[in-house]
Amino acid sequence: MRASSLPLQLDIRSLTAFAKKHLDDCTRFHPICSSNIPKFRPTRIIDVGLEATAQNICLTTLKDDMAQYVTLSHCWGDTSAILTTTKDTIKQRHRSIPFRDLPKTFQDAVQITRALGLRYLWIDSLCIIQDDKADWELESAKMAEIYLESCLTIAATASVDSTGGFFFNRWTSQAGGEKNYVETFEFHRTFRDADVTIYARQGLDSGHQRMSGYASTSTNTAPLLHRAWAYQERMLAPRMLHVHMEEMFWECKCYTICECGYLSWEREHLDRNKWFPIRGTLTLKSRIALAVDEATPVEDVHTMWLDIVEEYSMLALTKESDRLPALSGLAKYLSQRVQSIYLAGLWESSLAIGLLWHRCSVLYSSCFRDKLSNVPSWSWASIVRTHQSTDEANQLNHITYDEVREGIIQDPRLKILNAACQVTGTNPFGEVSGGTISIEGALIIAKYACPLYLARPQVLYGTEASGVHIDIRGPGEPAEVLDGGMVFCLLFGMSGYDFAGHALILKAVGANTYRRVGYLNLDSQLRWFDNVIPFVVNII
């Protein structure tokens, strides 16, 4: 492994040099990275001035269409402790915001913006009126444009809240959670009568894996990457500078580059294409950037959306009601190419696949469906994590499409007759207040079996049984269907490679009205749906 030494303490001079070099390379040489000339102006932005020692900043409105701006991506932490703009403070924020009143992350962001020679900075908590629901809804719907058109997004990736900042002694997490500072050691040796100096430090695998898409769910060294709101910021920003706990990373639409240089060396020297792409060359971020190109098949964009849902579903929110709003900017961006109605996290034109999600590792998570929520049961966003456990693994809500990723041969009896979703405000990609899908297809009545001796629940049809993925079933989760209860199975189609059947498991809740409770992957040897006459169901 080849990589350079890293200073223990990150300072603004090192950060600015790293950012300027890669900003220049990106804007000059990367064909799919957008120019740094914005085509959009945020409603409000922070004027940080150009004087490095200026003690006051303020909210303002951009008057120059060509003015470049920086965006900040950060963890809020305790929402009661963060500096915000409210209806009571909006006028004062336009007059002045004392630098000393800013938390450390905001102060560092101001100094970085100035050091880059830029004047404007967008921070969500200050540029959106937090206690004005109408303003919050309007501005959150603009997230796609705000981050897409930024010159650079600076990410406080290592900080759990607004007090962490960007400048600190770097460390890495070892096995067992032990914290070791990133230090470089110098050794002098004689080799073949020549004096040789060798520099060595610990490997920094956590950052390389996390930034390359092969990471575990640990939030230890990169808490920002575990936050749902930060996901679309990362995916949409043309250029992002991450200050990870171990080192800096540059992430744009073309490459992911680390401060120590290892990822660049890996990209140039390792031939890994036989098994999977070299890290950083075909990232999801790159695929998203290319998605709106007319040369990209719409089918590829739909498949990419499955990847997005799988990644996003594992991320944490302070308020689970934000699950759809926090992805609305990315959905809005991709709608340019999809050209389809968006339905609570699914696309109307690909419902036959989009409805066939299921939870992964259901026994190790703690989730439920909120009875007060109006997210329809057929949407993956209806699954809510409890937040009761301090164990990160027990708070996962991993939605997967692994059984249908390669597509299905749709059953000829299946017809999606109507699909509608009501949104609560003006953002068609935001929070919803209900939804119904009317489907005609092969429907059978089966029995649900979940005895204690079974590791996985089953549905019974006649004398035959098949394992089933139940949406809510983990320890302490409120059961939606009881052992021995009657369920309905609605066939969607079969896999082209093994001819396994794919069906939704439904529970009747009214006259011809059903709620989703699970997903069935039926063995190809079981002929449960042969000669079944199609029936119309309404799923809410």
Side-chain angles (χ1 to χ4, degrees):
M1 179 186 295
R2 292 188 180 182
S4 64
S5 62
L6 295 170
L8 174 62
Q9 171 75 49
L10 178 63
D11 57 38
I12 194 166
R13 182 178 298 178
S14 301
L15 184 148
T16 305
F18 183 80
K20 284 184 174 180
K21 177 187 183 305
H22 294 296
L23 179 61
D24 181 63
D25 288 348
C26 182
T27 54
R28 291 173 60 195
F29 303 123
H30 295 178
I32 67 171
C33 295
S34 61
S35 72
N36 56 2
I37 299 175
K39 306 179 186 67
F40 169 85
R41 288 187 295 177
T43 304
R44 305 175 196 92
I45 201 143
I46 301 166
D47 184 349
V48 303
L50 293 175
E51 296 294 329
T53 58
Q55 293 304 302
N56 288 295
I57 61 176
C58 66
L59 280 182
T60 188
T61 302
L62 279 179
K63 297 179 175 60
D64 181 1
D65 289 339
M66 305 292 284
Q68 297 175 347
Y69 62 90
V70 173
T71 46
L72 173 67
S73 184
H74 65 108
C75 289
W76 278 44
D78 182 358
T79 56
S80 64
I82 196 168
L83 187 68
T84 62
T85 293
T86 65
K87 287 184 281 189
D88 290 337
T89 62
I90 180 67
K91 290 184 179 180
Q92 177 58 39
R93 298 279 188 259
H94 275 278
R95 288 193 293 268
S96 175
I97 305 173
F99 184 81
R100 65 178 181 274
D101 291 350
L102 299 174
K104 188 175 188 303
T105 298
F106 292 10
Q107 289 183 349
D108 290 350
V110 168
Q111 298 284 35
I112 292 167
T113 303
R114 291 170 175 169
L116 291 171
L118 299 172
R119 183 168 180 172
Y120 301 105
L121 171 66
W122 192 89
I123 301 176
D124 51 3
S125 67
L126 292 175
C127 295
I128 300 175
I129 304 174
Q130 297 299 319
D131 61 348
D132 186 328
K133 184 172 178 59
D135 188 76
W136 186 90
E137 185 177 295
L138 180 66
E139 295 303 311
S140 64
K142 298 177 182 177
M143 287 290 193
E145 290 86 354
I146 290 171
Y147 282 91
L148 273 167
E149 299 300 331
S150 65
C151 172
L152 175 67
T153 296
I154 51 176
T157 306
S159 298
V160 297
D161 57 31
S162 61
T163 66
F166 285 84
F167 306 113
F168 42 76
N169 286 341
R170 272 105 67 105
W171 57 271
T172 185
S173 180
Q174 299 300 307
E178 181 183 353
K179 180 190 293 187
N180 290 327
Y181 286 109
V182 177
E183 295 183 87
T184 301
F185 300 94
E186 185 175 320
F187 301 93
H188 299 279
R189 296 288 186 272
T190 300
F191 180 72
R192 293 182 179 177
D193 298 324
D195 292 332
V196 177
T197 301
I198 300 172
Y199 299 92
R201 59 164 170 76
Q202 288 181 302
L204 305 179
D205 292 340
S206 173
H208 295 150
Q209 292 174 358
R210 192 73 202 232
M211 297 304 302
S212 303
Y214 299 101
S216 69
T217 56
S218 173
T219 64
N220 198 11
T221 57
L224 181 66
L225 301 186
H226 195 62
R227 303 301 302 178
W229 273 107
Y231 184 78
Q232 66 177 1
E233 298 168 5
R234 181 184 177 191
M235 291 297 114
L236 290 171
R239 290 164 286 274
M240 182 170 272
L241 173 65
H242 292 270
V243 176
H244 187 273
M245 193 61 74
E246 296 175 339
E247 59 178 316
M248 290 184 288
F249 289 86
W250 177 270
E251 186 178 40
C252 66
K253 297 175 182 179
C254 285
Y255 297 117
T256 298
I257 299 169
C258 59
E259 183 183 357
C260 78
Y262 173 70
L263 290 181
S264 298
W265 177 86
E266 179 188 68
R267 188 169 54 248
E268 294 172 4
H269 293 85
L270 299 187
D271 180 12
R272 301 170 63 179
N273 289 301
K274 294 177 182 178
W275 306 106
F276 46 80
I278 293 175
R279 294 191 297 216
T281 59
L282 289 176
T283 63
L284 185 55
K285 183 183 179 75
S286 300
R287 291 163 58 201
I288 290 171
L290 294 169
V292 296
D293 192 300
E294 290 184 358
T296 301
V298 175
E299 294 78 12
D300 290 356
V301 182
H302 281 300
T303 301
M304 182 176 62
W305 184 255
L306 307 184
D307 295 333
I308 290 171
V309 169
E310 289 188 352
E311 285 195 358
Y312 178 74
S313 66
M314 290 193 291
L315 305 180
L317 283 162
T318 301
K319 296 192 303 179
E320 283 291 340
S321 59
D322 287 347
R323 183 63 61 184
L324 290 172
L327 193 62
S328 63
L330 191 50
K332 180 180 180 181
Y333 174 73
L334 293 176
S335 69
Q336 302 172 67
R337 186 73 184 111
V338 175
Q339 293 292 304
S340 176
I341 296 174
Y342 186 70
L343 299 162
L346 286 71
W347 300 97
E348 185 182 44
S349 55
S350 63
L351 281 177
I353 293 292
L355 290 166
L356 298 177
W357 54 268
H358 68 88
R359 283 175 65 195
C360 184
S361 302
V362 69
L363 291 177
Y364 304 101
S365 58
S366 186
C367 298
F368 66 102
R369 277 194 174 98
D370 188 352
K371 293 181 180 179
L372 300 178
S373 171
N374 288 317
V375 178
S377 67
W378 43 261
S379 169
W380 54 264
S382 66
I383 307 294
V384 177
R385 68 180 73 198
T386 65
H387 295 282
Q388 292 175 350
S389 174
T390 57
D391 184 354
E392 291 169 6
N394 286 335
Q395 291 197 31
L396 288 183
N397 176 17
H398 187 189
I399 302 298
T400 181
Y401 285 95
D402 59 357
E403 304 284 3
V404 296
R405 178 173 302 282
E406 302 304 319
I408 65 171
I409 301 171
Q410 186 170 312
D411 186 81
R413 292 163 292 185
L414 185 79
K415 295 182 177 63
I416 297 176
L417 305 177
N418 186 55
C421 214
Q422 296 79 45
V423 295
T424 59
T426 58
N427 181 6
F429 305 96
E431 196 172 348
V432 299
S433 60
T436 302
I437 296 180
S438 298
I439 303 178
E440 182 179 82
L443 186 75
I444 61 173
I445 301 175
K447 182 179 179 181
Y448 177 68
C450 186
L452 294 177
Y453 59 83
L454 281 180
R456 182 180 174 187
Q458 297 178 336
V459 288
L460 310 176
Y461 185 65
T463 60
E464 297 176 327
S466 179
V468 63
H469 295 279
I470 288 296
D471 294 343
I472 306 295
R473 194 237 165 178
E477 297 183 349
E480 294 185 311
V481 57
L482 301 178
D483 183 30
M486 182 175 64
V487 293
F488 297 80
C489 305
L490 177 65
L491 181 67
F492 274 62
M494 63 182 181
S495 297
Y497 60 93
D498 63 0
F499 302 106
H502 302 280
L504 289 187
I505 308 300
L506 308 174
K507 177 182 178 181
V509 293
N512 200 31
T513 303
Y514 303 81
R515 289 179 64 86
R516 175 192 156 125
V517 293
Y519 159 78
L520 170 65
N521 183 220
L522 185 67
D523 188 284
S524 61
Q525 302 300 314
L526 302 179
R527 317 300 298 178
W528 292 3
F529 294 92
D530 288 2
N531 304 315
V532 174
I533 298 173
F535 186 80
V536 176
V537 298
N538 299 304
I539 311 173
I540 60 172

